[in-house]
Amino acid sequence: MARYEPIPPEAERWGKALLDAAYEVHSLLGPGFVERIYEEALCYELTLRHVPFERQKVIAVPYKGYWIEGQRLDLLVGGLVIAEIKAVDEIHPIHQAQLMSYLKATGLRLGFLINFNVVHLKDGIRRIVM
């Protein structure tokens, strides 16, 4: 079994900043809105907190030395943490697989799947480490 290095402290710091902002958004909006509303509010909250991010970042998937474009990250925080935003009744394995594919394609190690359509946000967060 492979043993991975710990997540770098800087990535953990950006992950915490992301989650702090997500909790603020959820505390003000609650569940029930569409994904786009939460993404917009989260971006605004990150901006207010001076947290660097890229929204809807296009990534390419490597395949035998060829790069296939067509995937977009909802958010890339601090250049190190991927956030996939959802507003669904429940998280399914395909949602986690989507985030894992982003991590694999970028070579990044830390991602969060954040489902805002829950009563308590802690129940809608999945931390994925590759």
Side-chain angles (χ1 to χ4, degrees), residues 4-5 12-13 16 20 37 47-48 57 62 65 75 79 82 85 93 112-113:
Y4 295 102
E5 293 294 317
E12 293 286 8
R13 184 169 45 92
K16 182 182 181 324
D20 288 347
I37 300 299
T47 299
L48 291 175
K57 180 174 176 59
L75 293 174
I82 297 172
I85 309 303
F112 290 92
L113 183 56

Side-chain angles (χ1 to χ4, degrees), residues 8-130:
E10 186 177 11
E12 293 286 8
R13 184 169 45 92
W14 292 130
K16 182 182 181 324
L18 166 67
L19 293 180
D20 288 347
Y23 275 103
E24 178 69 9
V25 168
H26 192 267
S27 72
L28 293 175
L29 294 179
F33 293 99
V34 296
E35 193 174 296
R36 186 185 69 74
I37 300 299
Y38 294 111
E39 183 178 322
E40 184 75 26
L42 184 55
C43 288
Y44 184 64
E45 189 64 35
L46 291 170
T47 299
L48 291 175
R49 293 167 183 247
H50 306 287
V51 175
F53 68 91
E54 294 177 73
R55 182 178 185 185
Q56 294 297 318
K57 180 174 176 59
V58 175
I59 61 169
V61 177
Y63 178 78
K64 294 186 175 184
Y66 179 71
W67 294 91
I68 305 166
E69 292 187 2
Q71 286 192 301
R72 288 183 188 270
L73 308 177
D74 285 344
L75 293 174
L76 177 61
V77 180
L80 294 171
V81 179
I82 297 172
E84 182 61 22
I85 309 303
K86 298 292 181 196
V88 295
D89 288 335
E90 66 180 84
I91 295 294
H92 293 287
I94 192 67
H95 298 130
Q96 290 185 199
Q98 180 183 18
L99 178 54
M100 290 171 71
S101 74
Y102 295 161
L103 291 168
K104 183 177 179 182
T106 61
L108 296 174
R109 305 235 355 257
L110 181 59
F112 290 92
L113 183 56
I114 305 173
N115 180 21
F116 282 94
N117 196 36
V118 291
V119 175
H120 303 287
L121 189 60
K122 68 179 179 63
D123 298 328
I125 296 174
R126 301 289 184 279
R127 176 185 163 106
I128 306 290
V129 176
M130 298 278 291

